[in-house]
Amino acid sequence: MDETLQALIDKAAKQVDGVKTRAEFEAFKARFVGPAGELTAAMKRIATLPKEEKPAFGKRINEAKQALESLFDDCLRAISRDELAARIGPPVDVTLPAPGDPHPGSLHPLTQVRDEICRIFRQIGFSVAEGPEVETEYFCFDALNTPADHPARDLQDTYYFPESAKFGNISKNGTERNLLRTHTSSVQIRTMLKEEPPVRIISPGRCFRRDTADATHSANFHQVEGLCVDKNVSVKDLKALLDYFIKSLLGADARTRFRPHFFPYTEPSFEVDFASSHLAKVGSKWIEIAGCGMVHPSVFESVGYDPETYSGYAFGMGIERIAMILHGVDDIRYFYQNDHRFLKQFA
Amino acid sequence: MKLSYQWLNKYIDLRGKSASDIEDALTMIGFEVEGVDETGLPPLENVVVGEVVSRDQHPNADRLSVCEVRIDDEGNTRRIVCGAQNHKVGDRVPVALVGAVLPGNFKIKKSKLRGEVSEGMMCSARELGAGDDAAGLLILEQRPPPGMPINEVFPDNDTIFDVEITPNRPDCLSHVGIARELAAVFGLDLLYPELKHNFDDHGTASPDVFCKLTVESDDCPFYTAHVIRDVRVGPSPDWLQRDLRAVGLRPINNVVDITNYVLLELGQPLHAFDAAKIKDRRLIIRQALEGEKIVTLDEKERALHPRMLVIADVEKPLVVAGVMGSVDAAVDEETVDVVLESAHFRTQSIRWTSRRLGLGSDSSYRFERGIDPGNVVFAAQRAADLILDIAGGQLAGPVMTCGGVTSIRNEIHLTRPYLSNRCGFEIEDSKVEEIFSALELSATSRINDRQETEWTVEVPSFRSDLDSPIDLVEEVIRINGTNNIPAAPVTSTGLERRDDPVYRFNAKASSYLVGQHFAECLNYSLRSGDELKAWFSQAAADKCALANPLSSDQTHLRWSLIPGLLDNLKLNQSRKTGLKRIFECGHIFRERDGVLYEMAAVGFLISHDERSRSWRTPAKPDFYTAKTILASLAQLAGHRLGDDLRPVSGSISAWLEGHSAEAGDLMESFEARMGLLDPQFLSVHDVEGDVIAGILEIRLDKVADDGEIRRFTPFSLFPAAERDLALLADANEPAETVRQKLAGAAAKSCGDAFSVEEVRVFDLYEGKGMPEGKKSLGFTLIFRSPERTLTDGEVNAAFTATRQLMAEAGYETRQ
C-alpha cells in the first residue's frame, strides 16, 4: 500500500480517540474526506499518474476510503451511544420503589361481591335495575302488600323524613311520607310500573334500617334483589335459580335448602340456607343466605299485572352478609372503616 | 317463643321423636328453631338408684375403692370399682349398669380395673348430664329406693325449643298450635285438652258478687266473663309450676298460673280479677280518659291516653286491656271470688297501646298479632275448668258476654291447574287432601265447569292468614316438604333490556379510578347535622334532616362524598397505612330552591404531604390533576366537563379559593367540583398535608344511556400545518377566554378554503419581562384541509390575518 495512504489512515485512527461530539466528528471527517480533505487530495493525484498505474492506485484509494468509512461509522456509533446515555441517564436500580410508591388501586370488597352476584344473574338473562334511596311509603310498603300498621313500617325500624321534606326526583301522594328504603324491592315496583312482562331484573343497592350499629348491624347496608315475571313461573323455577346461584357463588359442592318463611310481598315465602364444605369456617352447617318467594298476587294487582296470567318470583340477599361469609370477615364495621390494610386484601 | 317437649306431649305423642327430629321438622315447616335447651336428665336406660352396701380399699390402687352396690329391692348387688372419695356405706347413688350409655356416648361395659372386676359405674352429676358437678358421686339425699330408674328420681327432664313464630302465624303462639303443626308433618293424632266440667250447667252459687259488663269501645268486639266463687288461692300443683318454669315463667298462685298456662296452651290471653276489688260489681270496657293513670303489675305508674282501651270499674281503670293488669285488681292470697276475662281486642289498638307505653307482655304480643276469636270461649272454659279442679270453688251463673264472634265463613277455591302451575311439579290429589285434613282445613273436591279438579277449602277461625288460593299452595308445599321440590335446570329466554345507566357508569368510573391507583371506600349515607352546617350551611342541614334519627352522628342525608372520604383519610393517616388516593361511588343529595335532588356521585381524594419522604420527589398533584380525572369521569357519564369552570359558589368553605372550581348545573344534568381543599379547613378536621379532591354529581336520570349506535365521521388524510403564536393578555383573564377568541379569529381567517382544526394553549409566561398586569399565552394552531395539502402561502396568509384580528381585539403578539 501507498505509504502516504497508510500514514493517512494511521493518523485518522490516532485522532479518532479525541472525537467526542457530533461537531468534532463533522470537522474530523472533513479533514479527510471533505473537499479539502487529505484523502480527497490524494484522490486528486490519480490524474497525475501514468495510465497503467491508475487502476492499482484507484484500488488502494478505495481501500483507504473503506478503512476511513469504517472508522467514521464506529466513531459516530460511539458518539450516538454517549449522547443517548447522557440523555437517558445512568442505569437504574430496578429494585428501588417507584417514587411516591403508589399502591395498586382496589375495588371495595362489597363492590366486588355485588358485581359477582350481578354477574351470576346477568349470565342467565337478568339485567340490572336501579332506583332512588329515598323512597315513598307507596313504593317501599303499600305496593308490596305491607299494610299501614305493619311493624316494619314503624318509626322504630324505618327512617322517615319530615312531612316538609321535598325530593325533586320522586313524587309522593297526599300525606305519604318520604323514607329511606328498607329494601330494594321498591325498584321492582318502579320497574313493573314501567315495563310489561316478561321482566327479569336484579336490583343491587343501598338500604337502611333503624338499627344500632354493632358487629352484624349497620345503619345502611347493601342488597341485591331479583324479580322474574312471566307466564308459568313456578316454585320449581325459583328453586332451580337459587341452586344455580349458590353453586355459582360458593362452588359446585354447595347445597341449598328452602325453609318456609313469611314476607308480606311473597307467597309462598322461603328463607334460603346453604351448606358448603368449601368454606373452611362454615363447614357443613346450614347458613342462611337469602329470602325468596313467589310474588304475592296483590303485588301484581298494585302494578297492573294480571295475577291469573302471570306469576313470578322474587329474591333478595344482603351483600355484607355474603361478603362476610365468603371472606371470613367477622365484623360488619370493617366494611365502613376503610382501613387500607383491610381494603388491599381484596385488591 | 319457648316450647316444652313435655308439655307438647300432652297433645301429641312425640315419644318416638328425638329433639333433633322435632327441631328439623319445625324448621322445615317454617318455624325457625333459634335454640334447643336440654334441662334435667336426658332419658337414660339401665341407670338406676343403688345403695352402697360395702366399701373396701382396692388391693392394687390407693385411690380406688371396691364396692358392693345393691341395685334392686330384691337385694341383688353389683361389684363396682370406684375412684370417688365422697361416698360411704349406706349412701344411695346413681348407678350405670352394664349396657347403659351415658351422655357423650359413654358405654358402660363389664371390665377389670387394676385386676378387680367392675360391673358398672357409680355416677357424678356431670356424668349423668345433670349439671357440672364432677367433684364426687351424686349422693341422693332423698333416698329413693334401690332399683328405681334414675329418670324417675329426676323426672324433670325436658327439651325447650326456642322457636321463631312469623307474624302471619299467631295461631302457633301456643303449645296446641305448634302441636297441630307437628301432628300434620309427622302424621300423628292431635289431642285437644278436654273439659271435666259441664259448662252448660251453671252451678248453684249465686253470681251476685258481680253483676254487670258494659263495652263502650269498638276496639273490643267480644268480651266474656266467668264468675267463680269460693276459690282457694294458693301455690299451684307441681306439674303446673313445672310447665310454667320450663318455659321461663315464674309461678305466682294457682289462679294466675292457670291463666298463664292457658295462654301458653291455647294462645288466648286471659285475665283474672279479684271480684272483691271491682267497685260496684261492674266492669266497663272503655277508652282511657285524658289524664288517667294506672299502676301496672310491674309497679310502674303509667299515664294513659284516650286511644288506649282499659277495663275499668266505676272508679278507675283496673287493666290496660290486653296488655297488663294493675296492682289494684290482682288476684292474691285473700281472693275468694274470681272474675275471669277472656276477650277479643283489636290488634291495632293493642299494638298502639303497647308501643306507646313501651310495655309488652305475653298477652299484648298475641293480641297484636291477632288471636283466634273462635277460641275465646273455649279458652275461658279451659281455664275455669282448671281453676275448679285446682283451686276449688263453684261456677257462679252463666258466662256474661258482650259482643260476639263475627265469624265470616272463609272458603277458598283451589284448582288443580293453578296448584300444578304455581308448584311447577305434581303433587297427587290424595296427598293434597291429606295435607288439608292434617291442617284441619276441611276440603271437598269436585270437577268444575272447565273439567278441572277444584277444591273448596273451609278455613278454620284460627287460620286468619289463609285467604287466597296461593295461600293454599303454600300450605301444600310446606307440609309436602320443600326438600321434595325437584331439582331442575335454569331455563332463560333472552330479553333485550340494558343494565341501568347508573350501574354501568359506576362500573366504568370505578374501573377507571382503580386504574389510577385509587382505593374504593364506602361510607355511611347518614352524617351529622353539625358537619353539614360546617361544610355547607344551617339551611342545608335543615333540608335533609331525618324525622327519627337513631344516633346523633347519623341524623342527616349526606350532601357530598368528600367528608366521608376525609374521615377515611384521617383514619388511614393516624394508622399510618400509607393510603393516599381514595374514591367512593354513591348517592348524595343536593338542594335547589328548597327541593332535594338525589344524585349519583363519584368523589375522590389525593393526599399530598410535603414532609413525606421519597428517594426521588414524585410529581405534586394539584388542581389540574383533579381536572384531568373529572374530565374523564364526566366523559364516562356521557357528559363533557365544559368550558364553564368557575369559582366554587355559595357558602361552601371547604374549597381553597383560587385553587378550585365548579362546573355544570344540577338542574341541567350534573355538577362537578374539583381542586385543593382549604388547608386551614382541613387542619380543623385533623387531616395532614394537602388534599386534592374532586366530585362529579349527576342526576339519576341524566347518566347517558349510550345505547345509540355511533356513526363514523371521515377525517382528513392530508398533512396538517402548525403555527405557534404568543399573545399578551391581562394577567387575570382566563386562558380559555383568549383561546376561544383566537379560535374564532382563526376560523374567520381561513374562510371556506380550509379549517383550523385545533387551537391549543401550550405555554404560559408571567413575571419578568412582562408589562405590568400582563401575561403571555402561547398557542398552537393546527390548520388542515379535507381535500388537499395546504401551501405555506395560504396558511401564512390565514395566520397573518388571525394575528391581525387578535391585535384589533387588543391582544398584542409577543415576538
Side-chain angles (χ1 to χ4, degrees), chain B residues 152-231:
Chain B
E152 287 179 30
V153 181
F154 298 98
D156 199 16
N157 69 305
D158 200 355
T159 305
I160 307 303
F161 301 94
D162 193 358
V163 177
E164 184 201 339
I165 311 290
T166 51
N168 59 322
R169 293 304 302 272
D171 61 302
C172 289
L173 291 168
S174 66
H175 280 78
V176 164
I178 285 292
R180 186 161 48 217
E181 292 285 318
L182 286 172
V185 72
F186 286 140
L188 295 170
D189 291 332
L190 180 69
L191 298 166
Y192 281 95
E194 280 176 17
L195 301 177
K196 289 183 187 162
H197 296 81
N198 179 1
F199 282 83
D200 297 330
D201 172 11
H202 305 136
T204 50
S206 159
D208 61 3
V209 290
F210 180 74
C211 67
K212 193 149 191 230
L213 203 57
T214 320
V215 174
E216 297 177 350
S217 168
D218 291 342
D219 287 337
C220 175
F222 189 32
Y223 195 95
T224 72
H226 283 86
V227 179
I228 303 161
R229 298 201 59 173
D230 300 326
V231 298

Side-chain angles (χ1 to χ4, degrees), chain A residues 16-29:
Chain A
V16 76
D17 289 341
V19 177
K20 295 297 176 203
T21 67
R22 211 163 272 269
E24 283 169 11
F25 170 78
E26 291 304 329
F28 165 70
K29 188 176 169 186

Side-chain angles (χ1 to χ4, degrees), chain A residues 297-317:
Chain A
S298 67
V299 174
F300 283 152
E301 277 160 20
S302 58
V303 297
Y305 287 3
D306 177 8
E308 290 298 315
T309 312
Y310 294 108
S311 54
Y313 56 70
F315 54 89
M317 59 198 86

Side-chain angles (χ1 to χ4, degrees), chain A residues 97 106 108 111 122 124 128 133 149 154 158 160 166 168 200 206 210 232 235 258 267 338-340, chain B residues 30 351 355 421-422 474 482 492-493 497 499-500 520 522-523 525 547-548 554 572 575 596 598 615:
Chain A
S106 57
H108 195 280
T111 302
R122 290 167 79 235
I124 49 167
V128 177
E133 291 171 4
D149 66 340
D154 262 8
T158 300
Y160 287 94
K166 282 201 203 86
R200 211 151 53 232
R206 185 169 275 205
R210 208 167 161 276
N232 303 317
V235 171
F258 273 23
E267 182 82 19
N338 303 296
D339 186 311
H340 192 219
Chain B
R351 185 176 299 152
R355 294 283 147 88
N421 182 282
R422 292 301 184 266
E474 167 161 52
T482 54
S492 176
T493 52
R497 185 185 187 282
D499 291 331
D500 190 284
E520 188 186 17
L522 287 178
N523 288 289
S525 294
N548 58 337
Q554 299 196 329
N572 279 284
R575 295 183 180 181
L596 283 168
E598 187 167 340
W615 62 274

Side-chain angles (χ1 to χ4, degrees), chain A residues 11-311:
Chain A
K11 187 174 159 193
K14 205 169 159 194
Q15 287 182 1
V16 76
D17 289 341
V19 177
K20 295 297 176 203
T21 67
R22 211 163 272 269
E24 283 169 11
F25 170 78
E26 291 304 329
F28 165 70
K29 188 176 169 186
R31 280 205 297 282
F32 297 94
V33 297
E38 291 178 39
L39 183 69
T40 316
M43 278 162 66
K44 284 176 182 162
R45 275 165 47 208
I46 199 162
T48 65
L49 291 175
K51 193 180 171 187
E52 64 278 11
E53 288 179 23
K54 278 185 182 172
F57 186 72
K59 193 177 165 218
R60 287 201 297 277
I61 287 282
N62 238 347
E63 284 167 5
K65 197 175 170 183
Q66 278 170 12
L68 281 177
E69 291 292 346
S70 143
L71 213 62
F72 293 154
D73 284 352
D74 290 348
C75 179
L76 193 58
R77 210 173 292 129
I79 290 170
S80 296
R81 197 178 54 234
D82 291 350
E83 279 176 350
L84 187 68
R87 184 165 65 79
I88 301 295
V92 296
D93 176 351
V94 296
T95 65
L96 277 172
D101 201 20
H103 300 284
S106 57
L107 278 182
H108 195 280
L110 292 180
T111 302
Q112 295 185 42
V113 171
R114 178 199 69 190
D115 288 349
E116 175 63 3
I117 295 169
C118 290
R119 181 196 68 75
I120 293 169
F121 287 111
R122 290 167 79 235
Q123 188 162 302
I124 49 167
F126 284 76
S127 58
V128 177
E130 291 204 351
E133 291 171 4
V134 171
E135 269 294 0
T136 65
E137 291 181 272
Y138 175 79
F139 287 101
C140 202
F141 296 127
D142 295 322
L144 287 155
N145 196 34
T146 310
D149 66 340
H150 192 279
R153 300 178 68 150
D154 262 8
L155 288 168
Q156 295 283 334
D157 301 319
T158 300
Y159 285 115
Y160 287 94
F161 290 93
E163 218 174 294
S164 58
K166 282 201 203 86
F167 290 87
N169 51 298
I170 51 170
S171 51
K172 62 178 176 181
N173 291 319
T175 58
E176 219 186 342
R177 286 174 295 179
N178 284 115
L179 48 79
L180 282 167
R181 66 179 175 191
T182 56
H183 45 198
T184 57
S185 309
S186 49
V187 180
Q188 302 181 358
I189 300 299
R190 290 188 177 275
T191 306
M192 286 192 281
L193 284 172
K194 246 182 355 222
E195 300 170 20
E196 285 301 309
V199 169
R200 211 151 53 232
I201 54 158
I202 37 167
S203 43
R206 185 169 275 205
C207 308
F208 302 81
R209 277 184 207 159
R210 208 167 161 276
D211 274 332
T212 306
D214 62 21
T216 54
H217 293 89
S218 154
N220 58 237
F221 57 98
H222 297 81
Q223 272 196 335
V224 177
E225 292 205 3
L227 170 75
C228 166
V229 184
D230 206 340
K231 290 175 178 159
N232 303 317
V233 177
S234 68
V235 171
K236 187 176 81 171
D237 297 328
L238 172 59
K239 181 75 163 46
L241 178 95
L242 287 162
D243 281 341
Y244 156 81
F245 167 70
I246 283 170
K247 283 186 195 308
S248 303
L249 184 73
L250 299 162
D253 72 329
R255 292 172 296 132
T256 314
R257 77 174 184 186
F258 273 23
R259 266 187 296 110
H261 198 71
F262 171 74
F263 305 112
Y265 28 85
T266 48
E267 182 82 19
S269 305
F270 306 98
E271 282 190 329
V272 185
D273 295 343
F274 79 94
S276 167
S277 54
H278 201 67
L279 295 168
K281 240 185 170 176
V282 172
S284 58
K285 258 172 44 198
W286 289 106
I287 306 288
E288 183 184 328
I289 195 168
C292 68
M294 303 301 289
V295 180
H296 198 286
S298 67
V299 174
F300 283 152
E301 277 160 20
S302 58
V303 297
Y305 287 3
D306 177 8
E308 290 298 315
T309 312
Y310 294 108
S311 54

